[in-house]
Structures are given as structure tokens and as C-alpha cells.
Amino acid sequence: MKWLRISSALTGIAACSLVLVQVAPHAREAGAILAARDDPAALSELKLDAALAHNDRLVQDNIEAALAAGDGDLADSFVTLAHDRNIALPDDLLSRVSDAVKTENSTSHFARRFATGLVTGNADDVASLSGTVAGDLFVIGDIRDIVRESKHLAMGEDTDRLVLGLATAGLAVTAVTYVSAGGAAPVRAGLTLVKDARKVGRLGEGLAAWAGRSAREVVDTPMLQNAVASGSVLRPGETVSAIEAAFRVEKAGALVRLGKDVTRVAEKTGTRGAMDTLRIAEGPKDVARAARLAEAQGGKTRAIMKLLGRGALLLIGGAFDLTLWLLGAALTLFGLLSSIKATTERLTQAWCDRRRRRRLRRARLAADAALANTAVTA
């Protein structure tokens, strides 16, 4: 019976050791991810490790897809990621990416996209954003958007209040930009990007809802309608002051911070990287995390967000599963230590019992010998 108890304890050690070997890698990965949940750069690196480990061609396939979509900037971001991860790429593929980047950066392409951004107010790359920002800095773009949306509002038609609020905020910030000799330009560019993302349907639903609430708070709609009623996009000087008066500066802090964070992303990843961020962000905190990620990862950021989506910015959905891995590892380790303790105790008890039996046997033998000697003497 005693040896059966020792055997069961040894079986427990073997079983727990086997399970721990299987669970430990997952628990270690889960612990690392949970520890990095507030650090977008570290979190994205861990998730990239897992993604790339399961697909050797992941980077190359995404480069091919980016080139097919005419997005040389995204393809170049994947090349940067490949170099950082020591992933070998075919020479012909690298050459195609280089040609695509050169085409996008050519003077003719830049001029064409700049004009498109200036005229339409829509931006999807650096050149068109430059044109859009130029138009907004000369108040043409913002007044155009304000007049259009205000007339929709006055006539009871569908009105994009977010574009209306962003244009009004942008007009006020533009005035500050002139006064501060360009000091507010980063906010101006960021607000323009948010407005353009909204226009082309690339603003995430969560972020759009938040920005819409914020925009409504900073605009006095009746005052704005009165300003627009007496103004025109053809007479910007007559309407700017009135429109600025409808802007509640004291409630614009959240929008200003959003504009700054969007600009921080754009400075490291380009306009398309900022647009990618606005598409996946569910709120201003996501954009702030994206800015931290962009500052840490630089040119790789677009590739990372393409592979991981919003998961590059924060821990999504898997916290419970990760906690279960850690709990399972802890319970298995506890079982292993308990089995080792039980085995040690039972082996020690068996050794002590054996020594006791030996002492008792020697005592009995000594007593029997003494009795025998006494009997002989008698």
C-alpha cells in the first residue's frame, strides 16, 4: 500500500511535467502579450512573431497584393518590415517595388495629385493632401464645405455634421496658424485628414461617432447658419469672422488633440498610413496609440497595421483566453510541486519507517540474545 502511494505521487510528477511542457510556451507568450498590452510597439512585435511564424510567404504575398492595388507605399512598407525581420525577398520583386515608389514620387504624379486635392478637397496620398491643406489654409476648402453642409442643413436635407464641425474647427485653427506663423499647422493638417477620411468613407464608425459628438459641441449651429446665409465661397473675407464666432474654442480640446495625433501618424507613415489608422480606429485613444506605434516603428507601421489591423494598437478579445493559459500553467505548476512534495514526504516516511523497523528488529534480536544468555547461565 505504501509503495502504491509513492507510485501515484511519481505518476503525478510525470503527468504534470508533461502537461507543463505543453502549456509553458503558450503561457509564456500569453504573459508577454498581457504585459505589453499598454505598449503598442511591443504588442505589435509579439503579434508579428506569431503571424509570421505561421506563414513564410505572408510578407511576399502582401507585397504582391499592394503592387496589384497600385499602392507602392504599402509595398515599400512591407519591404522595410522584411529587412527588419531578415526575410529574404526576390530581387525582381524588390525592383518592382522600387519602380512603383519612383512612379508615385515623380514630379508629374505629384503635380496631378496636388491639383486633385486642391480642387476636390479629397486626399489619399502626400501630394493630394498637400493640395487639400493648401486649399484649407487659404480657407477655400473649409468655406466650401461649410457653405455646402449648412445649406443642406437649412433645407432639411441630409447633412454631414461631422464634416461641418471639422470644417468650422479647421477654419478657426487656420486663423491661429496665420497668427502663430504656422505653429498650429500640424493640427490643421490633422483635422483636414480626418475630414477627408470622412468624405471618402475611410473613417471608422467608432471614431466617426465620437468625432461627430465632439464636432456638434464646438459649433453653434444657429449662429453658423446665419453666417452662411449672408456669405458665399466667392466672398471668403466676409464670412470667415462670422463663421469663427460660431466656433466654441473652449470645447475644441479633444478635436485639437485628435488633429495632433493624426499628424504624428502622418509624419512617420505618410498620408495613407494616417488614413489606415483613421479607418481602423474606434476612438481618439486608438489614434493616440497609433501615433506611439508609428513613432516606434516608422516605415513598417503601414505593413504592421495591414497585417494586424486594430490588434496592432491594443489587446482585442483574447485577454480571457490568455489569462486561461496563465491560470492553466499556474495550476499545472502547483500540481507538479504538490506531487514533488507528496513524493518527498512519502519517500521520507518510507525511509524513516524502514529505519524504525531495523531498530526494532535489532532490539528484538538483542533482547532475544539476552534472554538466551540468561537461560544458559541459569
Side-chain angles (χ1 to χ4, degrees):
M1 185 66 181
K2 189 177 299 182
W3 288 108
L4 180 61
R5 294 180 63 198
I6 294 175
S7 298
S8 64
L10 289 172
T11 302
I13 291 177
C16 290
S17 298
L18 181 61
V19 173
L20 191 60
V21 168
Q22 301 297 321
V23 171
H26 298 285
R28 184 168 56 251
E29 180 181 353
I33 291 176
L34 287 173
R37 63 185 180 277
D38 294 324
D39 185 348
L43 182 63
S44 64
E45 287 291 340
L46 292 170
K47 291 189 175 182
L48 275 177
D49 290 339
L52 296 175
H54 290 91
N55 187 349
D56 294 337
R57 288 184 52 86
L58 185 61
V59 172
Q60 186 170 338
D61 290 344
N62 274 276
I63 292 176
E64 293 284 3
L67 290 175
D71 193 343
D73 180 72
L74 178 58
D76 189 52
S77 180
F78 273 105
V79 170
T80 303
L81 177 63
H83 288 167
D84 182 72
R85 292 275 175 158
N86 295 318
I87 299 174
L89 296 173
D91 291 338
D92 65 317
L93 183 61
L94 293 174
S95 178
R96 289 165 55 200
V97 172
S98 178
D99 292 342
V101 172
K102 288 179 181 178
T103 300
E104 288 188 358
N105 293 335
S106 65
T107 303
S108 59
H109 181 272
F110 186 91
R112 184 170 62 254
R113 298 302 300 159
F114 180 92
T116 300
L118 179 63
V119 174
T120 66
N122 296 327
D124 60 4
D125 57 15
V126 176
S128 56
L129 176 65
S130 299
T132 303
V133 173
D136 286 350
L137 284 175
F138 286 108
V139 306
I140 297 172
D142 282 331
I143 291 181
R144 175 193 59 218
D145 294 332
I146 291 171
V147 170
R148 182 182 63 246
E149 298 302 332
S150 294
K151 287 184 177 179
H152 289 326
L153 184 63
M155 297 177 67
E157 300 174 350
D158 290 338
T159 305
D160 194 327
R161 291 179 179 270
L162 175 53
V163 170
L164 178 62
L166 289 170
T168 306
L171 196 62
V173 171
T174 299
V176 177
T177 301
Y178 284 125
V179 172
S180 63
V187 178
R188 164 70 277 175
L191 291 175
T192 295
L193 267 174
V194 177
K195 185 174 66 173
D196 290 339
R198 173 67 169 184
K199 288 180 181 179
V200 297
R202 298 180 68 178
L203 193 63
E205 292 183 4
L207 184 59
W210 174 88
R213 292 191 298 270
S214 299
R216 282 192 291 271
E217 291 177 357
V218 302
V219 177
D220 186 329
T221 303
M223 186 179 295
L224 180 63
Q225 287 179 297
N226 291 334
V228 172
S230 59
S232 169
V233 70
L234 300 177
R235 298 190 302 275
E238 300 177 9
T239 59
V240 170
S241 298
I243 292 175
E244 288 176 1
F247 180 66
R248 298 167 180 165
V249 179
E250 69 280 1
K251 296 185 177 181
L255 279 178
V256 169
R257 285 192 295 273
L258 176 64
K260 288 181 178 178
D261 287 334
V262 172
T263 303
R264 288 167 60 198
V265 176
E267 287 174 347
K268 299 296 182 180
T269 68
T271 303
R272 291 181 177 179
M275 287 292 193
D276 292 343
T277 298
L278 292 172
R279 186 179 67 252
I280 66 175
E282 291 296 323
K285 291 183 179 179
D286 285 359
V287 180
R289 284 174 173 268
R292 291 169 56 194
L293 176 66
E295 289 172 348
Q297 301 288 14
K300 300 179 293 181
T301 306
R302 282 201 72 196
I304 292 172
M305 289 197 292
K306 176 66 175 179
L307 293 176
L308 304 178
R310 190 166 175 250
L313 306 178
L314 72 167
L315 190 59
I316 301 176
F320 181 73
D321 293 336
L322 295 174
T323 303
L324 285 181
W325 279 115
L326 290 175
L327 180 60
L331 291 176
T332 304
L333 181 60
F334 177 78
L336 175 61
L337 295 176
S338 298
S339 297
I340 292 174
K341 177 177 177 293
T343 301
T344 303
E345 291 175 345
R346 292 169 188 179
L347 286 173
T348 302
Q349 185 64 48
W351 181 73
C352 291
D353 291 345
R354 184 178 179 183
R355 290 194 63 186
R356 187 180 304 110
R357 287 194 300 270
R358 286 179 177 178
R359 286 197 303 270
L360 291 174
R361 186 164 55 251
R362 286 196 296 269
R364 284 195 300 270
L365 290 175
D368 291 344
L371 290 174
N373 289 334
T374 303
V376 171
T377 302

